[in-house]
């Protein structure tokens, strides 16, 4: 019987079947969870040449291969590494492609732990770090230096949701000989495929939508053919391998990611549009809204939106932000997102150097979960009332 191939099928069919052929494992639907360190060789010659598929637990197992193959099928990548967290998915490729004396350009609206890593570890290693405006587009060519080796993008932006012109940035970066990386956690490969838009290395916190249940940490990094070998070598050198049970949990979550994302998107857009009509709201920062300044760019490049966006309160400061958050009952106060439950946090922008605003009041980031929309709206209304009374 021919090997199954779902690459030409619809996205939900791909998610249901990618990365595993049950006939490889006696017909069992899910791949085995292989707990591995030592792998035995049949003889000394095979051991000396390492001429068998698996050689040691850090270098891959059937479990990690299943998830990597599924991600490759979604990303269109030459290869994918699986690492223990979303932050590791950022740090491993940066360490793999940067060295002392190199220059890296990082979007100023980047995920805060990425900035912390760049400002501490990368600078200590002698890497020159520079932040750029998320709206720079093709103008990034003017920031390129002879030693610029990496341009790091994230779109939409963390917390403030500016949309970058990724194709224009990639073209300029490649003209200067740099590798382009993108944190694509917000959209997932279902709604944006970075490698199709000129990106070389696509990064995901699989903790978020792929896992989907707020109970596991994992990251994936996928590369095109030109960058795969170096990424893979860096991964093996650093030894940042993920635990098999976590890998399995994410592979299981991946099967339902499509239907969950549809619900997240639908609910978030309905709530974002409703928020635009509410007293106490100055702005809603959701690129899927027609009012968003980057909406046309988002519509050009993205095929959908996820469930996280920010709202700008109409005046006030920390007191009003805390009053809003403390009044919430359905929303939890916690970091991360992409799980089934709604979450809210007060956004901090004090570490930015370019993309600082201004904003009319405090920013509240909302992760819209899978609860009933009317219950979520009532909870937000309770928060807005408390903020206005603070």
């Amino acid at each position: 019987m021919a090997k199954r191939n779902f690459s030409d099928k619809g996205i939900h069919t791909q998610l249901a079947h990618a990365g595993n052929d049950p006939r490889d494992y006696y017909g069992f639907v899910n791949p085995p969870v292989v707990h591995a360190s030592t792998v035995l060789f049949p003889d000394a010659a095979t051991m000396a040449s390492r001429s068998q598929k698996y050689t040691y637990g850090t270098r891959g197992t059937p479990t990690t291969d299943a998830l990597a193959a599924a991600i490759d099928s979604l990303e269109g990548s030459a290869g994918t590494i699986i690492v223990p967290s979303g932050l590791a998915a950022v740090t491993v490729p940066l360490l793999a492609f940067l060295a002392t004396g190199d220059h890296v350009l990082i979007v100023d609206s980047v995920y805060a732990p990425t900035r912390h890593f760049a400002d501490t570890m990368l600078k200590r290693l002698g890497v020159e770090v520079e932040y750029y405006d998320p709206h720079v587009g093709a103008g990034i060519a003017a920031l390129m230096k002879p030693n610029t080796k990496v341009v790091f993008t994230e779109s939409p932006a963390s917390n403030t949701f500016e949309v970058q012109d990724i194709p224009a940035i990639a073209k300029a970066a490649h003209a200067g000989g740099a590798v382009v990386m993108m944190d694509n956690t917000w959209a997932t490969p279902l709604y944006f495929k970075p490698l199709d838009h000129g990106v070389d290395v696509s990064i995901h916190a699989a903790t978020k939508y792929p896992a989907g249940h707020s109970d596991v940490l994992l990251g994936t990094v996928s590369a095109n053919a030109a960058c795969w070998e170096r990424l893979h070598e860096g991964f093996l050198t650093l030894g940042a391998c993920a635990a098999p049970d976590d890998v399995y949990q994410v592979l299981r979550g991946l099967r339902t990611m499509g239907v969950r994302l549809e619900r997240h998107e639908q609910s978030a857009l309905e709530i974002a549009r409703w928020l635009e009509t509410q007293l106490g709201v100055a702005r809603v920062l959701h690129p899927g809204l027609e009012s968003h300044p980057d909406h046309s760019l988002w519509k050009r490049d993205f095929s959908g939106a996820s469930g996280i966006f920010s709202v700008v309160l109409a005046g006030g400061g920390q007191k009003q932000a805390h009053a809003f958050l403390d009044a919430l009952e359905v929303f939890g106060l916690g970091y991360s997102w992409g799980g089934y439950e709604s979450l809210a946090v007060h956004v901090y922008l004090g570490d930015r150097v370019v993309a600082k605003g201004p904003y009319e009041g405090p920013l509240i980031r909302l992760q819209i979960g899978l609860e009933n929309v009317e219950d979520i709206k009532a909870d937000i209304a309770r928060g807005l009332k408390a903020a206005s009374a603070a």
Side-chain angles (χ1 to χ4, degrees), residues 309 324-325 328 330-336 341-347 364-368 379-380:
F309 64 92
F324 177 95
L325 294 175
L328 300 174
V330 174
F331 281 82
L333 308 187
Y335 295 104
S336 195
E341 81 284 30
S342 292
L343 296 170
V345 298
H346 181 202
V347 171
I364 306 293
R365 191 185 72 185
L366 301 175
Q367 132 82 6
I368 305 302
D379 209 38
I380 294 173

Side-chain angles (χ1 to χ4, degrees), residues 197-327:
H197 293 81
V199 173
D200 301 295
V201 177
S202 176
I203 293 163
H204 292 278
T207 304
K208 310 297 196 288
Y209 291 114
H213 292 80
S214 303
D215 58 358
V216 65
L217 295 168
L218 207 79
T220 68
V221 190
S222 305
N224 58 21
C227 292
W228 167 241
E229 185 175 342
R230 184 163 179 176
L231 173 67
H232 189 235
E233 177 59 30
F235 164 69
L236 295 178
T237 301
L238 290 166
C241 54
D245 294 297
D246 296 338
V247 174
Y248 176 80
Q249 286 283 81
V250 171
L251 185 61
R252 186 167 72 167
L254 203 65
R255 305 307 184 195
T256 62
M257 184 172 72
V259 292
R260 287 187 285 105
L261 267 175
E262 287 181 352
R263 174 59 180 257
H264 286 296
E265 176 184 33
Q266 180 183 9
S267 297
L269 277 170
E270 180 178 340
I271 291 165
R273 291 193 173 101
W274 168 79
L275 272 165
E276 288 192 307
T277 69
Q278 299 303 297
L279 292 174
V281 174
R283 269 191 283 168
V284 181
L285 308 179
H286 189 313
L289 293 177
E290 292 77 6
S291 59
H292 192 282
D294 304 330
H295 176 70
S296 60
L297 189 58
W298 171 82
K299 195 172 182 179
R300 184 194 75 182
D301 291 344
F302 290 75
S303 61
S306 62
I308 184 169
F309 64 92
S310 288
V311 58
V312 183
L313 300 184
Q318 180 173 287
K319 181 181 178 182
Q320 284 70 26
H322 284 191
F324 177 95
L325 294 175
D326 288 341

Side-chain angles (χ1 to χ4, degrees), residues 29-53:
V29 171
N30 290 304
V33 182
V34 178
H35 296 83
S37 55
T38 298
V39 179
L40 298 180
F41 299 85
D43 50 57
T46 305
M47 188 176 189
S49 62
R50 298 192 176 188
S51 55
Q52 66 181 34
K53 182 172 176 60

